[in-house]
Short mmCIF file of all heavy atoms in Angstrom, two decimals:
data_model
loop_
_atom_site.label_atom_id
_atom_site.label_comp_id
_atom_site.label_asym_id
_atom_site.label_seq_id
_atom_site.Cartn_x
_atom_site.Cartn_y
_atom_site.Cartn_z
N LYS Y 1234 0.86 -1.20 0.00
CA LYS Y 1234 0.00 0.01 0.00
C LYS Y 1234 0.89 1.24 -0.01
O LYS Y 1234 1.65 1.47 0.94
CB LYS Y 1234 -0.91 0.02 1.23
CG LYS Y 1234 -1.81 -1.21 1.35
CD LYS Y 1234 -2.81 -1.30 0.20
CE LYS Y 1234 -3.76 -2.47 0.38
NZ LYS Y 1234 -4.73 -2.57 -0.71
N THR Y 1235 0.83 1.98 -1.07
CA THR Y 1235 1.66 3.17 -1.20
C THR Y 1235 0.77 4.40 -1.54
O THR Y 1235 -0.37 4.24 -1.92
CB THR Y 1235 2.72 3.03 -2.28
OG1 THR Y 1235 2.07 2.90 -3.55
CG2 THR Y 1235 3.59 1.78 -2.06
N LYS Y 1236 1.40 5.55 -1.42
CA LYS Y 1236 0.73 6.77 -1.85
C LYS Y 1236 1.55 7.37 -2.98
O LYS Y 1236 2.76 7.63 -2.83
CB LYS Y 1236 0.64 7.77 -0.70
CG LYS Y 1236 -0.24 7.28 0.45
CD LYS Y 1236 -0.29 8.33 1.57
CE LYS Y 1236 -1.18 7.84 2.73
NZ LYS Y 1236 -1.21 8.81 3.86
N ILE Y 1237 0.94 7.57 -4.10
CA ILE Y 1237 1.62 8.15 -5.24
C ILE Y 1237 2.03 9.54 -4.84
O ILE Y 1237 1.34 10.29 -4.15
CB ILE Y 1237 0.67 8.18 -6.49
CG1 ILE Y 1237 1.47 8.50 -7.75
CG2 ILE Y 1237 -0.52 9.09 -6.28
CD1 ILE Y 1237 0.70 8.28 -9.03
N ALA Y 1238 3.28 9.91 -5.23
CA ALA Y 1238 3.89 11.23 -4.89
C ALA Y 1238 3.90 11.44 -3.37
O ALA Y 1238 3.62 12.50 -2.85
CB ALA Y 1238 3.14 12.36 -5.55
N HIS Y 1239 4.26 10.38 -2.65
CA HIS Y 1239 4.28 10.39 -1.15
C HIS Y 1239 5.13 11.58 -0.66
O HIS Y 1239 6.31 11.68 -0.97
CB HIS Y 1239 4.81 9.10 -0.64
CG HIS Y 1239 4.81 8.95 0.86
ND1 HIS Y 1239 5.93 8.67 1.57
CD2 HIS Y 1239 3.80 9.13 1.74
CE1 HIS Y 1239 5.62 8.61 2.86
NE2 HIS Y 1239 4.31 8.87 2.97
N GLY Y 1240 4.55 12.45 0.15
CA GLY Y 1240 5.27 13.61 0.70
C GLY Y 1240 5.01 14.88 -0.05
O GLY Y 1240 5.38 15.97 0.43
N SER Y 1241 4.40 14.80 -1.20
CA SER Y 1241 4.10 16.01 -1.94
C SER Y 1241 2.95 16.76 -1.25
O SER Y 1241 1.96 16.11 -0.85
CB SER Y 1241 3.68 15.63 -3.38
OG SER Y 1241 3.33 16.77 -4.15
N PRO Y 1242 3.07 18.06 -1.03
CA PRO Y 1242 2.10 18.77 -0.20
C PRO Y 1242 0.66 18.76 -0.65
O PRO Y 1242 -0.27 18.62 0.16
CB PRO Y 1242 2.64 20.18 -0.14
CG PRO Y 1242 3.62 20.31 -1.27
CD PRO Y 1242 4.15 18.94 -1.49
N THR Y 1243 0.41 18.85 -1.99
CA THR Y 1243 -0.97 18.92 -2.44
C THR Y 1243 -1.30 17.81 -3.46
O THR Y 1243 -2.45 17.65 -3.81
CB THR Y 1243 -1.31 20.28 -3.07
OG1 THR Y 1243 -0.59 20.42 -4.30
CG2 THR Y 1243 -0.96 21.42 -2.12
N LYS Y 1244 -0.26 17.13 -3.99
CA LYS Y 1244 -0.53 16.13 -5.04
C LYS Y 1244 -0.37 14.69 -4.57
O LYS Y 1244 -0.52 13.76 -5.35
CB LYS Y 1244 0.36 16.39 -6.25
CG LYS Y 1244 0.01 17.74 -6.92
CD LYS Y 1244 0.76 17.89 -8.27
CE LYS Y 1244 0.34 19.18 -8.96
NZ LYS Y 1244 1.01 19.35 -10.26
N GLU Y 1245 -0.03 14.51 -3.29
CA GLU Y 1245 0.07 13.13 -2.76
C GLU Y 1245 -1.28 12.45 -2.95
O GLU Y 1245 -2.32 12.98 -2.58
CB GLU Y 1245 0.47 13.15 -1.29
CG GLU Y 1245 0.50 11.77 -0.68
CD GLU Y 1245 0.88 11.80 0.81
OE1 GLU Y 1245 2.04 12.10 1.13
OE2 GLU Y 1245 -0.04 11.58 1.65
N GLY Y 1246 -1.23 11.22 -3.51
CA GLY Y 1246 -2.45 10.44 -3.66
C GLY Y 1246 -3.37 10.90 -4.76
O GLY Y 1246 -4.52 10.41 -4.86
N LYS Y 1247 -2.88 11.77 -5.64
CA LYS Y 1247 -3.74 12.31 -6.69
C LYS Y 1247 -3.23 11.93 -8.06
O LYS Y 1247 -1.99 11.87 -8.31
CB LYS Y 1247 -3.85 13.82 -6.55
CG LYS Y 1247 -4.57 14.27 -5.27
CD LYS Y 1247 -4.73 15.76 -5.22
CE LYS Y 1247 -5.45 16.19 -3.95
NZ LYS Y 1247 -5.55 17.68 -3.85
N ALA Y 1248 -4.13 11.73 -9.02
CA ALA Y 1248 -3.75 11.37 -10.37
C ALA Y 1248 -2.93 12.46 -11.08
O ALA Y 1248 -2.21 12.17 -12.01
CB ALA Y 1248 -5.04 11.06 -11.18
N SER Y 1249 -3.03 13.69 -10.59
CA SER Y 1249 -2.30 14.77 -11.21
C SER Y 1249 -0.79 14.63 -11.09
O SER Y 1249 -0.02 15.24 -11.83
CB SER Y 1249 -2.71 16.13 -10.62
OG SER Y 1249 -2.52 16.11 -9.23
N SER Y 1250 -0.35 13.73 -10.18
CA SER Y 1250 1.07 13.48 -10.03
C SER Y 1250 1.58 12.33 -10.88
O SER Y 1250 2.78 12.04 -10.88
CB SER Y 1250 1.42 13.20 -8.55
OG SER Y 1250 0.92 11.93 -8.14
N HIS Y 1251 0.70 11.68 -11.60
CA HIS Y 1251 1.07 10.48 -12.33
C HIS Y 1251 1.97 10.81 -13.49
O HIS Y 1251 3.09 10.24 -13.61
CB HIS Y 1251 -0.17 9.70 -12.78
CG HIS Y 1251 0.17 8.58 -13.74
ND1 HIS Y 1251 0.54 7.36 -13.30
CD2 HIS Y 1251 0.15 8.54 -15.10
CE1 HIS Y 1251 0.80 6.61 -14.35
NE2 HIS Y 1251 0.54 7.27 -15.48
N GLY Y 1252 1.50 11.59 -14.43
CA GLY Y 1252 2.19 11.72 -15.70
C GLY Y 1252 2.58 13.12 -16.12
O GLY Y 1252 2.70 13.40 -17.31
N ALA Y 1253 2.85 13.99 -15.15
CA ALA Y 1253 3.22 15.36 -15.48
C ALA Y 1253 4.12 15.86 -14.36
O ALA Y 1253 4.05 15.42 -13.21
CB ALA Y 1253 2.00 16.25 -15.64
N PRO Y 1254 5.02 16.80 -14.68
CA PRO Y 1254 5.88 17.39 -13.63
C PRO Y 1254 5.04 17.93 -12.50
O PRO Y 1254 3.91 18.43 -12.69
CB PRO Y 1254 6.63 18.51 -14.38
CG PRO Y 1254 6.58 18.13 -15.80
CD PRO Y 1254 5.26 17.39 -16.00
N LEU Y 1255 5.58 17.85 -11.29
CA LEU Y 1255 4.83 18.34 -10.11
C LEU Y 1255 4.70 19.86 -10.15
O LEU Y 1255 3.76 20.42 -9.60
CB LEU Y 1255 5.56 17.93 -8.82
CG LEU Y 1255 5.62 16.41 -8.55
CD1 LEU Y 1255 6.39 16.16 -7.24
CD2 LEU Y 1255 4.24 15.80 -8.47
N GLY Y 1256 5.67 20.54 -10.76
CA GLY Y 1256 5.69 22.01 -10.73
C GLY Y 1256 6.63 22.52 -9.67
O GLY Y 1256 6.86 21.84 -8.63
N PRO Y 1257 7.24 23.67 -9.86
CA PRO Y 1257 8.28 24.20 -8.93
C PRO Y 1257 7.82 24.27 -7.49
O PRO Y 1257 8.55 23.92 -6.55
CB PRO Y 1257 8.63 25.59 -9.50
CG PRO Y 1257 8.22 25.49 -10.92
CD PRO Y 1257 7.08 24.57 -11.01
N ASP Y 1258 6.63 24.80 -7.26
CA ASP Y 1258 6.14 24.98 -5.88
C ASP Y 1258 5.93 23.64 -5.19
O ASP Y 1258 6.26 23.49 -4.01
CB ASP Y 1258 4.84 25.79 -5.87
CG ASP Y 1258 5.06 27.22 -6.28
OD1 ASP Y 1258 6.20 27.71 -6.22
OD2 ASP Y 1258 4.06 27.87 -6.69
N GLU Y 1259 5.42 22.66 -5.96
CA GLU Y 1259 5.15 21.33 -5.38
C GLU Y 1259 6.46 20.63 -5.08
O GLU Y 1259 6.61 19.96 -4.05
CB GLU Y 1259 4.32 20.50 -6.33
CG GLU Y 1259 3.60 19.33 -5.69
CD GLU Y 1259 2.44 19.72 -4.76
OE1 GLU Y 1259 2.01 20.89 -4.84
OE2 GLU Y 1259 2.00 18.84 -3.97
N VAL Y 1260 7.44 20.77 -5.99
CA VAL Y 1260 8.74 20.19 -5.75
C VAL Y 1260 9.42 20.79 -4.50
O VAL Y 1260 9.95 20.07 -3.66
CB VAL Y 1260 9.67 20.39 -6.97
CG1 VAL Y 1260 11.11 19.98 -6.64
CG2 VAL Y 1260 9.17 19.53 -8.15
#
């Protein structure tokens, strides 16, 4: 059981982190 983009402030567990850059603020 994992969380996609684990640790990302707003994109953890979201499909938006699957196939596109996280973006400077998210990184």
Side-chain angles (χ1 to χ4, degrees):
K1234 302 296 185 181
T1235 65
K1236 295 180 180 178
I1237 193 169
H1239 183 234
S1241 180
T1243 68
K1244 294 188 177 182
E1245 176 181 289
K1247 295 182 179 178
S1249 57
S1250 70
H1251 170 82
L1255 295 179
D1258 291 341
E1259 198 73 14
V1260 169

